[in-house]
Amino acid sequence: MADWFDSEIWKLAGHHEYHEPVEAEALLSPAPESIWPGLMNPNLIPIVSNGIGDWLCASVGADSQIVAIVQWYHGGGDWIIWGKDIAEAIVFDAVQSRLPGPRRRHAEPAQGAPSSPVAPDNDPLLKWAVSHLHSSIGEAIALQVDSHRIAEILLQTGVAEVAVRCELVQDVLHLSAFSAIDSQALQSIGVDADEVSRWSLDHERIPPNLIERLPQPLPTQDWSEAENHAVAVSAIAPDTSWGWDIAGYAAGKRGDSDAARMRYTKGSQCPIFSDQSIRLQTHWAVAESGKFSVAMLVSDFSDSVAESDYLRAITHPNPIRRSDNVSAYWLDRGEGAVADGRFADAYQYFVAAGWDIGMRPITAYGRLLEKIASAAEMSGQVGRGRIARIHRKCLRDRYGS
């Protein structure tokens, strides 16, 4: 990151989707325009844009160091880790179209993304990024190796591992196979959207009489391999819900109810914005229970709900009340932590109040960001405190609150 600024790489433009670095002067302004206050997590610093509102953001940890680069999608605030640093994220951006899997990323594809890969020597951002990583990365890009080989190289070198494994889960589960069937053919056999999503995730749920009527055979899903990828992600990024979601479902399918329950419980505590539900076909469960892991706990381990104030809050049938209840739950825990002098815990709870399943209205984030900044500062998290205060000023400038 120091070299990014010292070498003035940010003055250059790339040729892949994320090709517009934010200018250093813009980041130093009192209220940077690139920050989406109340939508972006309060520890994020936007670094590179795709020009249509999505960003590669630096995620700042408790020690004021950058701990990851996340891809943040403005159409809902979803995020996924694209690398430990900006070099990894730029490389993943360049090679993602060459990885295995359906490459389903958003409801609407990004505009202006290149239709074919651009070689490092022809892309200044990619050339810079490759120079900071293992030599095999640049060689793989230059030699145009096949999709599974480049995924293997990225995993072997630990580059963009969370994002790569997300692509591989989609690949081994063939998540696009069922949803890719012609919509008229699906309508003719009486299938609705939620059923398509549910069956896309798990082909074994499709009734046998419907399988016989499908216009094409479905490939076999490899749930063992999907579980391996999901477990690895849960170890690397335990605050990422999709790893726990897939790992829990895989455990349930092979009959390990203890592992499934533990993993769903972990996933239920992760923010919904980290679930990648559209890509991984888990969004059918969100409408009723707020999160996929919560829905699975309700379905398979109903006693969990009765034992948990949080689960009772997030399973409220009214979405508006649900959001209010969850925010109130975390705010209450945050205030309790402040009273006990546990300011690091308070920081986490206050962040969850706004970014677990969201808070309303947007102006409510003003007071919340002040609580977050104060808790960060009191716990010695200087960087997070300063960033939260900048997000607070952006909110005031944009919404007058």
Side-chain angles (χ1 to χ4, degrees):
M1 202 76 253
D3 188 52
W4 174 266
F5 289 106
D6 292 345
S7 299
E8 298 187 330
I9 301 301
W10 53 270
K11 289 185 175 181
L12 306 176
H15 297 294
H16 289 88
E17 181 179 353
Y18 288 85
H19 60 281
E20 296 183 7
V22 63
E23 296 181 354
E25 293 90 342
L27 282 178
L28 294 174
S29 68
E33 293 185 3
S34 56
I35 290 176
W36 292 52
L39 299 175
M40 285 181 176
N41 282 48
N43 69 325
L44 295 184
I45 305 173
I47 301 295
V48 188
S49 171
N50 64 356
I52 58 170
D54 308 322
W55 287 89
L56 297 182
C57 299
S59 176
V60 176
D63 60 356
S64 300
Q65 301 296 308
I66 293 172
V67 294
I69 300 296
V70 302
Q71 186 260 3
W72 182 84
Y73 178 52
H74 79 280
D78 294 344
W79 57 265
I80 182 172
I81 297 174
W82 268 22
K84 297 183 292 294
D85 53 46
I86 189 65
E88 289 188 16
I90 289 172
V91 164
F92 180 76
D93 183 36
V95 303
Q96 59 177 321
S97 63
R98 296 169 54 187
L99 295 173
R103 289 180 284 281
R104 182 198 299 106
R105 299 183 52 225
H106 308 309
E108 297 292 337
Q111 301 173 7
S115 58
S116 59
V118 178
D121 286 345
N122 296 323
D123 185 326
L125 297 188
L126 181 57
K127 183 177 181 180
W128 172 84
V130 165
S131 72
H132 283 270
L133 300 173
H134 193 278
S135 60
S136 61
I137 299 297
E139 294 169 2
I141 296 173
L143 294 175
Q144 297 289 303
V145 300
D146 67 69
S147 62
H148 286 90
R149 177 55 183 155
I150 196 165
E152 180 183 7
I153 291 171
L154 291 171
L155 292 183
Q156 287 175 345
T157 54
V159 171
E161 187 171 350
V162 171
V164 172
R165 291 189 186 277
C166 187
E167 301 298 320
L168 294 178
V169 166
Q170 296 174 74
D171 181 49
V172 300
L173 294 183
H174 303 284
L175 294 182
S176 64
F178 188 75
S179 58
I181 296 173
D182 181 77
S183 59
Q184 292 185 345
L186 294 176
Q187 291 175 3
S188 69
I189 58 178
V191 177
D192 66 24
D194 281 346
E195 287 175 319
V196 170
S197 175
R198 190 187 305 251
W199 295 344
S200 293
L201 174 65
D202 188 352
H203 297 175
E204 291 183 352
R205 284 181 171 268
I206 307 173
N209 63 311
L210 289 185
I211 291 180
E212 297 173 358
R213 298 170 61 187
L214 292 177
Q216 60 196 59
L218 293 174
T220 302
Q221 294 181 301
D222 188 344
W223 274 99
S224 176
E225 189 65 12
E227 182 174 13
N228 290 339
H229 289 305
V231 168
V233 167
S234 297
I236 298 167
D239 61 342
T240 297
S241 68
W242 73 260
W244 296 114
D245 293 345
I246 297 299
Y249 197 87
K253 282 184 66 65
R254 58 180 174 78
D256 190 343
S257 59
D258 289 341
R261 182 172 187 148
M262 181 276 291
R263 291 168 179 176
Y264 288 145
T265 300
K266 293 281 191 179
S268 72
Q269 298 297 304
C270 297
I272 193 172
F273 304 104
S274 66
D275 66 5
Q276 298 296 303
S277 61
I278 300 298
R279 302 171 69 199
L280 298 178
Q281 296 294 307
T282 58
H283 57 285
W284 52 268
V286 172
E288 297 179 359
S289 302
K291 298 178 182 178
F292 179 80
S293 281
V294 172
M296 293 299 100
L297 286 173
V298 171
S299 172
D300 301 342
F301 308 98
S302 57
D303 59 308
S304 298
V305 178
E307 298 170 356
S308 169
D309 292 340
Y310 173 76
L311 292 179
R312 287 197 299 273
I314 198 173
T315 52
H316 193 285
N318 184 296
I320 295 176
R321 287 287 302 278
R322 180 189 307 158
S323 174
D324 291 345
N325 289 350
V326 170
S327 293
Y329 170 85
W330 289 117
L331 281 169
D332 184 64
R333 295 199 70 184
E335 297 293 357
V338 169
D340 294 340
R342 295 181 291 111
F343 298 107
D345 290 339
Y347 174 87
Q348 297 295 340
Y349 297 149
F350 287 143
V351 169
W355 290 270
D356 185 6
I357 64 172
M359 175 185 271
R360 66 181 191 92
I362 190 69
T363 51
Y365 282 90
R367 179 60 181 145
L368 180 62
L369 284 166
E370 292 172 6
K371 292 177 181 289
I372 289 170
S374 177
E377 291 159 355
M378 292 298 291
S379 62
Q381 302 180 60
V382 178
R384 283 178 166 178
R386 290 180 179 173
I387 295 168
R389 293 205 181 279
I390 292 172
H391 280 238
R392 173 67 183 99
K393 189 171 192 315
C394 289
L395 190 79
R396 182 180 292 111
D397 286 0
R398 312 256 173 96
Y399 303 101
S401 175

PDB file of all heavy atoms in Angstrom, residues 67 133 180 211 221 231 273 303 334:
ATOM      1  N   VAL A  67      -5.992  -5.056   6.709  1.00  0.00           N
ATOM      2  CA  VAL A  67      -6.024  -6.507   6.890  1.00  0.00           C
ATOM      3  C   VAL A  67      -6.558  -7.237   5.669  1.00  0.00           C
ATOM      4  O   VAL A  67      -6.384  -8.451   5.533  1.00  0.00           O
ATOM      5  CB  VAL A  67      -6.853  -6.885   8.124  1.00  0.00           C
ATOM      6  CG1 VAL A  67      -6.176  -6.374   9.387  1.00  0.00           C
ATOM      7  CG2 VAL A  67      -8.283  -6.348   8.028  1.00  0.00           C
ATOM      8  N   LEU A 133       4.005 -10.000  -6.298  1.00  0.00           N
ATOM      9  CA  LEU A 133       3.558 -11.344  -5.945  1.00  0.00           C
ATOM     10  C   LEU A 133       4.536 -12.389  -6.473  1.00  0.00           C
ATOM     11  O   LEU A 133       5.500 -12.070  -7.173  1.00  0.00           O
ATOM     12  CB  LEU A 133       2.151 -11.583  -6.507  1.00  0.00           C
ATOM     13  CG  LEU A 133       1.069 -10.622  -5.989  1.00  0.00           C
ATOM     14  CD1 LEU A 133      -0.237 -10.848  -6.728  1.00  0.00           C
ATOM     15  CD2 LEU A 133       0.881 -10.797  -4.490  1.00  0.00           C
ATOM     16  N   ALA A 180     -30.049 -22.191 -15.404  1.00  0.00           N
ATOM     17  CA  ALA A 180     -29.764 -21.842 -16.794  1.00  0.00           C
ATOM     18  C   ALA A 180     -30.793 -22.435 -17.757  1.00  0.00           C
ATOM     19  O   ALA A 180     -30.820 -22.086 -18.932  1.00  0.00           O
ATOM     20  CB  ALA A 180     -28.371 -22.319 -17.181  1.00  0.00           C
ATOM     21  N   ILE A 211     -37.394 -34.073 -12.504  1.00  0.00           N
ATOM     22  CA  ILE A 211     -36.104 -34.318 -13.161  1.00  0.00           C
ATOM     23  C   ILE A 211     -36.330 -34.971 -14.517  1.00  0.00           C
ATOM     24  O   ILE A 211     -35.668 -34.639 -15.510  1.00  0.00           O
ATOM     25  CB  ILE A 211     -35.196 -35.192 -12.275  1.00  0.00           C
ATOM     26  CG1 ILE A 211     -34.760 -34.399 -11.034  1.00  0.00           C
ATOM     27  CG2 ILE A 211     -33.968 -35.676 -13.048  1.00  0.00           C
ATOM     28  CD1 ILE A 211     -33.860 -35.167 -10.095  1.00  0.00           C
ATOM     29  N   GLN A 221     -23.222 -32.939  -8.390  1.00  0.00           N
ATOM     30  CA  GLN A 221     -22.604 -31.967  -7.496  1.00  0.00           C
ATOM     31  C   GLN A 221     -21.579 -32.649  -6.594  1.00  0.00           C
ATOM     32  O   GLN A 221     -21.818 -33.747  -6.092  1.00  0.00           O
ATOM     33  CB  GLN A 221     -23.669 -31.281  -6.644  1.00  0.00           C
ATOM     34  CG  GLN A 221     -24.647 -30.418  -7.425  1.00  0.00           C
ATOM     35  CD  GLN A 221     -25.654 -29.751  -6.514  1.00  0.00           C
ATOM     36  OE1 GLN A 221     -26.398 -30.414  -5.793  1.00  0.00           O
ATOM     37  NE2 GLN A 221     -25.695 -28.413  -6.541  1.00  0.00           N
ATOM     38  N   VAL A 231     -14.882 -24.777   4.372  1.00  0.00           N
ATOM     39  CA  VAL A 231     -14.196 -24.886   5.663  1.00  0.00           C
ATOM     40  C   VAL A 231     -12.915 -24.051   5.645  1.00  0.00           C
ATOM     41  O   VAL A 231     -12.574 -23.377   6.626  1.00  0.00           O
ATOM     42  CB  VAL A 231     -13.895 -26.358   5.997  1.00  0.00           C
ATOM     43  CG1 VAL A 231     -12.943 -26.468   7.177  1.00  0.00           C
ATOM     44  CG2 VAL A 231     -15.192 -27.107   6.301  1.00  0.00           C
ATOM     45  N   PHE A 273     -24.405  -9.125   4.609  1.00  0.00           N
ATOM     46  CA  PHE A 273     -23.762  -8.557   3.425  1.00  0.00           C
ATOM     47  C   PHE A 273     -22.549  -9.376   2.967  1.00  0.00           C
ATOM     48  O   PHE A 273     -21.965  -9.089   1.929  1.00  0.00           O
ATOM     49  CB  PHE A 273     -23.356  -7.112   3.702  1.00  0.00           C
ATOM     50  CG  PHE A 273     -24.517  -6.262   4.133  1.00  0.00           C
ATOM     51  CD1 PHE A 273     -24.677  -5.899   5.458  1.00  0.00           C
ATOM     52  CD2 PHE A 273     -25.463  -5.847   3.210  1.00  0.00           C
ATOM     53  CE1 PHE A 273     -25.766  -5.139   5.872  1.00  0.00           C
ATOM     54  CE2 PHE A 273     -26.555  -5.086   3.608  1.00  0.00           C
ATOM     55  CZ  PHE A 273     -26.708  -4.731   4.943  1.00  0.00           C
ATOM     56  N   ASP A 303     -34.901 -25.664  18.407  1.00  0.00           N
ATOM     57  CA  ASP A 303     -34.675 -25.307  19.807  1.00  0.00           C
ATOM     58  C   ASP A 303     -33.680 -24.161  19.943  1.00  0.00           C
ATOM     59  O   ASP A 303     -33.661 -23.473  20.968  1.00  0.00           O
ATOM     60  CB  ASP A 303     -34.183 -26.518  20.603  1.00  0.00           C
ATOM     61  CG  ASP A 303     -32.892 -27.090  20.048  1.00  0.00           C
ATOM     62  OD1 ASP A 303     -32.846 -27.358  18.830  1.00  0.00           O
ATOM     63  OD2 ASP A 303     -31.940 -27.282  20.815  1.00  0.00           O
ATOM     64  N   GLY A 334     -23.968  -3.188  22.882  1.00  0.00           N
ATOM     65  CA  GLY A 334     -22.898  -2.201  22.804  1.00  0.00           C
ATOM     66  C   GLY A 334     -22.896  -1.269  23.997  1.00  0.00           C
ATOM     67  O   GLY A 334     -21.838  -0.979  24.581  1.00  0.00           O
TER      68      GLY A 334
END
